[in-house]
Amino acid sequence: MVPKLTVHRFISHNPIGTDWLCGDMHGHYDALQRALHEVGFRPEQDRLFLLGDVIDRGPKSKELLNWVLATDYVQSVMGNHELMFVASSFNFRYQEKHRAIGGEWVDHIDFSEYRKLTTRCIQQLPLAITLACENGSIGLVHAQSPADSWPDVQNAVLSDRFAIDSTWPWNRAQGSDQTIAGVTAVASEHIGTAEVIQKGNQVWIDTLEQTGHMTLVRAEDIIGWVGS
């Protein structure tokens, strides 16, 4: 489907500041900057972790993607929109599918910039991240954990199935409570709800589309939610 993506990346604990998590941005660059200002984000010591879907639908997809890729204190996993963006630059049959989900902005950049951005997405956006925290660890993945055990995610071999299962389905958010083994919590988004959804140790934070307000939450708060 696509060139070789990074399956998993481990990020060590931040000993000097706060790690923040945020759901779907979809090109809303200005809204994100306002939200960071409102929570008192400190770029010199805090870090921001995005859960994918940085691009499409919103007004500033290119600007937000460039900022994410160029900013040292920002990390993101790959969402289904980035996956389709990457796939469409290497296999043209995906271009119409990408346009259909909000990717028309790509029509306004030249192909060399298009290929440069997709190459950087491949290099910098893993399908999953394990974020070490003071009181545990959080698995970050766009849609839901593609396995019942987080170590299976960490040790997975890249396949089209794994990439799709990390970025598209959301059945775990609709079923009964379930705990993903081997990790304190799993944070995802993708589902577009009016409030944060929790199932066992899994949390979905994707409120922007339904409410107009993004969920920007401290990593340690996620751990507190699943432990309460």
Side-chain angles (χ1 to χ4, degrees):
M1 181 181 180
V2 293
K4 189 170 179 59
L5 305 172
T6 299
V7 169
H8 174 265
R9 184 171 295 149
F10 177 82
I11 306 292
S12 60
H13 169 56
N14 180 359
I16 63 169
T18 301
D19 286 339
W20 293 88
L21 276 58
C22 192
D24 284 25
M25 287 294 91
H26 283 305
H28 289 281
Y29 175 80
D30 294 336
L32 176 58
Q33 298 304 320
R34 286 194 300 270
L36 292 172
H37 177 74
E38 288 170 4
V39 300
F41 187 87
R42 304 160 297 176
E44 68 281 358
Q45 58 197 102
D46 295 342
R47 301 184 301 193
L48 175 65
F49 292 87
L50 303 178
L51 295 170
D53 282 4
V54 169
I55 58 172
D56 299 342
R57 299 179 182 164
K60 292 187 176 181
S61 287
K62 185 178 76 169
E63 291 85 348
L64 181 54
L65 181 59
N66 272 314
W67 180 77
V68 169
L69 295 172
T71 304
D72 291 342
Y73 56 82
V74 179
Q75 301 269 352
S76 180
V77 296
M78 184 167 288
N80 59 298
H81 284 258
E82 288 81 38
L83 186 64
M84 190 66 71
F85 174 54
V86 166
S88 66
S89 74
F90 289 89
N91 188 330
F92 294 143
R93 70 189 178 95
Y94 290 107
Q95 287 187 346
E96 283 304 317
K97 293 182 179 180
H98 184 220
R99 288 191 185 97
I101 61 172
E104 302 94 341
W105 63 276
V106 176
D107 295 336
H108 304 290
I109 62 176
D110 62 48
F111 188 76
S112 62
E113 185 176 15
Y114 186 14
R115 180 56 63 86
K116 183 182 296 184
L117 284 172
T118 55
T119 299
R120 292 175 69 193
C121 285
I122 292 167
Q123 294 170 342
Q124 295 181 233
L125 307 184
L127 291 164
I129 288 174
T130 300
L131 174 61
C133 303
E134 183 176 1
N135 298 308
S137 60
I138 305 177
L140 311 181
V141 60
H142 176 65
Q144 64 180 22
S145 176
D148 293 338
S149 171
W150 193 253
D152 289 344
V153 176
Q154 295 170 316
N155 298 317
V157 175
L158 179 66
S159 66
D160 285 0
R161 183 77 267 156
F162 183 88
I164 291 169
D165 286 349
S166 299
T167 57
W168 284 94
W170 51 286
N171 54 291
R172 294 185 191 273
Q174 303 173 76
S176 58
D177 287 3
Q178 180 188 17
T179 295
I180 303 301
V183 68
T184 310
V186 176
S188 303
E189 34 137 322
H190 182 59
I191 62 175
T193 55
E195 58 187 7
V196 173
I197 302 296
Q198 182 181 341
K199 297 286 185 177
N201 70 339
Q202 304 167 87
V203 177
W204 286 264
I205 54 169
D206 182 13
T207 59
L208 180 61
E209 181 179 357
Q210 291 286 327
T211 69
H213 301 286
M214 63 189 67
T215 299
L216 188 60
V217 59
R218 291 174 294 195
E220 290 293 347
D221 290 340
I222 297 280
I223 289 178
W225 293 347
V226 304
S228 59

